[in-house]
Amino acid sequence: MTSHAQTPGTIGPNSITRMAQALSLQQGDAVAARIFEAAGLAHHLAAPPEQMVDEKDVTALHQVIREHLTPEQAQAVCREAGQLTADYLLAHRIPRPVQILLRILPAGPAARILLAAIARNAWTFTGSGQFEVRHGPDLTLRIINGPICKAVRADMPVCDYYAATFEHLFRKLVHPDTQVQETACGAMGAPVCLFEVRWSTKTATEKAR
């Protein structure tokens, strides 16, 4: 198991900028502007942040998105934002030689290397929360006290942004058929947000690695 915790509640700017981009793409600039205004984040839309942002901004943005959009619309926006974040990381944060190596390796070892890197930098997306990786018969990722669901109460998991980011990275670097599903969520009252990671050709040998 790998874990990482960060005390100061700051998060990378992708959590804001990619949400703005996804909102504009799917709902239009006017809706994006109304949502950012309602969340008290119009300044982030006018001047997209380039440094770490307060995790409270991320919490407020997700809360307002869930209030202004249908569950289906909110899910679609958050998933697109997650994919855009993963594309940014692939283009700017994960060195090309590392990407080549991960694609060559079998899925099991590649997943371990990728998740070790994600865990080292987990404070950039969990803020004051915690990120854990649990290897075993099944590969699961856990976010404890994450910012996305802090002010949201729902009957279904709401951390689509995280699920899509993980899934897109895994599909590009580990296995193209990877699926990441959030099976427990703080918005539903669960103590942790739990993400199950699977790929279709995963063998018993790969699981045990």
Side-chain angles (χ1 to χ4, degrees):
M1 179 182 73
T2 308
S3 65
H4 187 103
Q6 171 79 357
T7 301
T10 56
I11 297 181
N14 274 304
S15 57
I16 298 292
T17 58
R18 303 310 157 196
M19 291 297 291
Q21 187 178 356
L23 275 168
S24 293
L25 287 171
Q26 294 202 13
Q27 298 295 320
D29 293 341
V31 172
R34 285 200 300 270
I35 286 176
F36 268 71
E37 178 70 28
L41 303 175
H43 59 290
H44 282 328
L45 201 57
E50 297 180 357
Q51 305 297 326
M52 303 295 285
V53 299
D54 193 317
E55 67 177 20
K56 293 179 181 177
D57 292 353
V58 177
T59 299
L61 181 56
H62 281 268
Q63 179 184 16
V64 172
I65 284 173
R66 297 285 168 180
E67 291 172 351
H68 283 66
L69 303 180
T70 68
E72 294 76 18
Q73 290 171 334
Q75 181 182 55
V77 166
C78 292
R79 288 198 64 84
E80 179 153 6
Q83 291 174 9
L84 290 168
T85 296
D87 283 336
Y88 175 87
L89 296 174
L90 290 165
H92 301 285
R93 291 291 182 264
I94 303 176
R96 187 65 56 184
V98 174
Q99 294 188 38
I100 294 172
L101 173 63
L102 293 178
R103 292 179 180 126
I104 293 173
L105 289 172
R112 283 188 174 272
I113 293 172
L114 175 60
L115 287 171
I118 291 174
R120 285 195 299 271
N121 295 280
W123 60 274
T124 64
F125 61 86
T126 61
S128 60
Q130 296 176 322
F131 175 74
E132 297 179 348
V133 179
R134 296 197 174 182
H135 298 277
D138 294 301
L139 175 58
T140 59
L141 315 179
R142 297 156 59 95
I143 295 178
I144 304 166
N145 197 35
I148 287 179
C149 59
K150 279 184 178 179
V152 178
R153 294 295 175 265
D155 297 327
M156 63 182 68
V158 301
C159 299
D160 303 291
Y161 173 80
Y162 288 143
T165 303
F166 296 144
E167 185 174 271
H168 199 58
L169 287 174
F170 264 76
R171 287 182 175 181
K172 292 294 185 180
L173 299 176
V174 176
H175 196 287
D177 295 328
T178 301
Q179 292 185 340
V180 177
Q181 181 180 7
E182 187 181 12
T183 56
C185 184
M188 302 171 66
V192 302
C193 296
L194 180 66
F195 304 84
E196 295 184 0
V197 184
R198 297 188 177 91
W199 48 88
S200 61
T201 60
K202 200 172 192 180
T203 65
T205 301
E206 284 179 316
K207 287 183 180 181
R209 291 176 184 175

